[in-house]
Amino acid sequence: MHIRVVTSQPWDIEADLLALPIVADHEPDDTATELDRRIEGALAAYRALGEQAGKAHAGTIIRGRETAAPWLLAMGVGDLAAFDRIAALRFGAAIERRLGGRVVRRLAVWLPATLAGGDGLDAGFLAELVARGVVEGSYEPAAIYRDDVEDAPPALDELVLVVPGGDAHALTAAADRGRVIGEGANRARTLSQRASNDVSPEVLADEATAIAHAHGLEVEVIGPEQAAAMGMGMFLAVGRGSDSPPRFIVMRSGPTGATDRRGRLLAMVGKGVTFDSGGLSLKPSDRMEEMKMDKAGACTVISAIATVAALAPGLPLLAVAPAVENMPGPHSTRPGDIVRAMNGKVVEIQNTDAEGRLILGDALVYAERQGATHLVDVATLTGAVERAFGKQVTGGFGTPQDWWEEVVASGSRQAERYWQIPLVDEYRKDMDTWYAELGNSSGPEASLVKSGLFLKDFATRPWVHLDIGGSGYLRRATPWAARGATGVTHATLVELALRGA
Ligand code: BES
Ligand code: ZN
Ligand code: MN
């Protein structure tokens, strides 16, 4: 999809359809009044009818008249005071979703100056977020395995952002950044969403290799023999029950040994469990099929390093994605088995379903040994985080505090929400087992806190853990997003990495 920014009036834009925002608590300005005159007062008439009063994500399709575009889509955005970055992103996405099944190749979106201003939303950020929203709104998981999807959002050739009086050059650059980030999120979503009989650890490594080659990144895929030689006992314990061998995926950009402009080497570490049956601590069958998405963290970091390479080629960055399938079988790890982690710690695997922290612990140690100065891991680690925060907020941990805050600031700039969970050190002693240094499951009390405390044992540098067990996928579609993988944290990671460019 190509993006163009034009500074002329909305009625002069030649497009298959022109989308425009309807603010709930705001009188139309002169431009909106003139646009409405050109469509015979339809906007005012619809508002009077109560059909389109600006309710967020409610969209009405209207016939164009004295407009270059034959169709208009009036899209509600709610109250102006509540129009923040998240609302801007969802405005773009809701337009695409509302057009599901319609034939639109060139879409124009009018961004009046009234929309900018709140939440530090300048015209550039508005253009970036709306463009990203349109791209993310076009994601359609049903199209991964089928080509006859009804009501799929239209595949656009061109998106025209209409910003009267704007700086077309600067806004085009901003919108293009949004497009690239949106495409990266969709790449992560498709990979996360693919079924477990399709994406094994080997296939995930092949996909990462293809993405690396397409973006000029180095890639290294470590198999079980090499992982054993490196002492990755926790990583290897998880994949044993599966016929598909584990793969430890590493992607790198920038010269060896280099750091970014801030003197950092950021490592993004993602959980890549291509299917989580629970292993011998077998999960109940209810919703077990969702565990195809237990690789979402890995898919996110694999895609994010490619997105960063597209926006800032050569920026030093590391992505680490341990990939395993967690299955029961004669070779499986048993509850009670003792393994040695890469950092030498002796760990008792009390519950084979608490497998994410095992593979991530070794991956964090590996990343530090590769020279990472700062760590962020992304994982569908717990069901508890979903019970606590639902789908709209990602729970996380971090230390030291300023590193956590930097990750959250990157997130709010990119319209992604986080909430910090405390690392209560007093609980750590409950995680000793009677003859190992650390157990991977410690009963129901503060289980969410303990998931973070477990990982903290394997990080010695600034580290943040983002648990996308709730926010990583939707069980039902919203007006701005399809059901399935959300790609959440991708934009945060990209923003965070680019701060070092
Ligand atoms: N992948 C799951 C977490 C999960 C469950 C994410 C449901 C999204 C929805 C993880 O490996 C897991 O099984 N965690 C256990 C940990 C427990 C055994 C300590 C959990 O959350 O129940
Ligand atoms: Zn899991
Ligand atoms: Mn599990």
Side-chain angles (χ1 to χ4, degrees):
M1 185 191 73
H2 179 255
I3 296 198
R4 196 151 54 91
V5 174
V6 297
T7 55
S8 40
Q9 298 298 345
W11 47 82
D12 288 332
I13 310 306
E14 288 188 26
D16 297 322
L17 181 141
L18 169 70
L20 58 136
I22 305 291
V23 178
D25 60 349
H26 198 261
E27 292 301 313
D29 61 12
D30 291 350
T31 312
T33 305
E34 171 60 14
L35 180 66
D36 200 20
R37 190 194 64 74
R38 288 169 175 260
I39 55 173
E40 298 169 354
L43 292 175
Y46 274 108
R47 187 184 281 263
L49 178 66
E51 163 69 17
Q52 179 48 272
K55 190 166 160 257
H57 316 126
T60 306
I61 293 179
I62 303 170
R63 189 82 174 95
R65 294 288 172 196
E66 291 170 44
T67 53
W71 295 100
L72 274 64
L73 168 61
M75 177 56 69
V77 296
D79 290 347
L80 202 53
F83 193 80
D84 57 7
R85 288 164 192 270
I86 294 177
L89 179 70
R90 290 179 182 177
F91 168 59
I95 292 167
E96 257 296 282
R97 304 285 305 160
R98 177 64 180 78
L99 295 175
R102 314 302 188 276
V103 182
V104 179
R105 295 261 170 265
R106 182 188 289 166
L107 169 68
V109 180
W110 175 32
L111 300 178
T114 35
L115 276 191
D119 198 25
L121 253 181
D122 60 18
F125 246 92
L126 182 61
E128 176 173 341
L129 289 167
V130 171
R132 183 180 137 210
V134 168
V135 171
E136 293 186 9
S138 72
Y139 173 69
E140 178 47 67
I144 297 174
Y145 293 110
R146 292 159 47 190
D147 36 34
D148 61 336
V149 182
E150 239 181 272
D151 292 337
L156 306 177
D157 296 328
E158 190 171 49
L159 171 65
V160 185
L161 296 181
V162 185
V163 192
D167 171 351
H169 186 75
L171 293 176
T172 304
D176 235 18
R177 189 178 193 259
R179 174 183 62 80
V180 171
I181 297 175
E183 287 170 357
N186 290 352
R187 177 174 53 215
R189 293 161 95 182
T190 300
L191 208 45
S192 305
Q193 190 71 49
R194 281 170 59 187
S196 300
N197 62 330
D198 176 10
V199 179
S200 60
E202 287 165 290
V203 170
L204 191 58
D206 291 346
E207 293 288 352
T209 302
I211 291 170
H213 290 158
H215 290 82
L217 300 166
E218 274 177 58
V219 61
E220 186 184 348
V221 178
I222 298 170
E225 295 78 21
Q226 202 187 339
M230 294 169 88
M232 297 181 173
M234 295 200 298
F235 167 69
L236 286 169
V238 180
R240 281 193 213 293
S242 173
D243 266 349
S244 301
R247 291 288 181 264
F248 192 96
I249 302 162
V250 186
M251 296 161 85
R252 292 184 182 87
S253 68
T256 316
T259 54
D260 67 14
R261 199 174 51 79
R262 297 186 164 203
R264 294 173 177 168
L265 178 61
L266 172 65
M268 309 181 290
V269 178
K271 171 177 173 180
V273 177
T274 62
F275 187 69
D276 181 13
S277 70
L280 286 176
S281 310
L282 193 66
K283 286 183 179 298
S285 54
D286 187 40
R287 295 214 279 234
M288 198 200 273
E289 79 279 3
E290 290 182 353
M291 288 301 119
K292 71 176 76 170
M293 242 104 64
D294 215 20
K295 58 187 181 299
C299 300
T300 305
V301 303
I302 288 168
S303 185
I305 193 172
T307 306
V308 174
L311 294 171
L315 179 70
L317 190 61
L318 203 57
V320 179
V324 294
E325 190 181 39
N326 188 21
M327 296 291 270
H331 305 288
S332 289
T333 290
R334 293 145 289 237
D337 280 3
I338 305 281
V339 297
R340 188 181 295 274
M342 193 176 178
N343 68 351
K345 292 199 181 178
V346 176
V347 176
E348 178 171 355
I349 300 176
Q350 298 149 317
N351 186 328
T352 65
D353 197 14
E355 83 297 342
R357 61 198 75 183
L358 299 174
I359 66 172
L360 288 171
D362 279 343
L364 292 169
V365 172
Y366 175 87
E368 285 196 11
R369 297 218 181 141
Q370 293 296 305
T373 61
H374 290 72
L375 306 159
V376 178
D377 78 74
V378 180
T380 47
L381 202 74
T382 69
V385 81
E386 179 176 355
R387 289 190 288 278
F389 301 111
K391 299 289 181 196
Q392 299 301 329
V393 178
T394 299
F397 302 82
T399 180
Q401 190 62 19
D402 59 356
W403 179 235
W404 165 262
E405 272 154 21
E406 196 168 334
V407 174
V408 172
S410 302
S412 52
R413 218 172 143 78
Q414 287 295 343
E416 294 189 319
R417 280 202 291 244
Y418 297 97
W419 198 265
Q420 189 176 19
I421 306 158
L423 289 160
V424 186
D425 285 323
E426 291 92 316
Y427 299 159
R428 173 59 184 81
K429 65 178 183 314
D430 303 344
M431 297 165 63
D432 297 336
T433 81
W434 69 277
Y435 68 148
E437 288 175 83
L438 180 60
N440 77 332
S441 154
S442 22
E445 197 175 292
S447 66
L448 186 53
V449 172
K450 287 171 183 167
S451 71
L453 285 175
F454 185 97
L455 293 174
K456 186 168 168 259
D457 259 46
F458 300 92
T460 67
R461 310 242 166 97
W463 154 78
V464 160
H465 160 57
L466 303 175
D467 190 342
I468 59 168
S471 57
Y473 60 92
L474 301 176
R475 283 194 193 98
R476 48 178 188 270
T478 63
W480 62 88
R483 184 178 165 171
T486 61
V488 71
T489 76
H490 171 272
T492 302
L493 294 175
V494 170
E495 181 75 35
L496 182 68
L498 289 176
R499 286 178 165 216

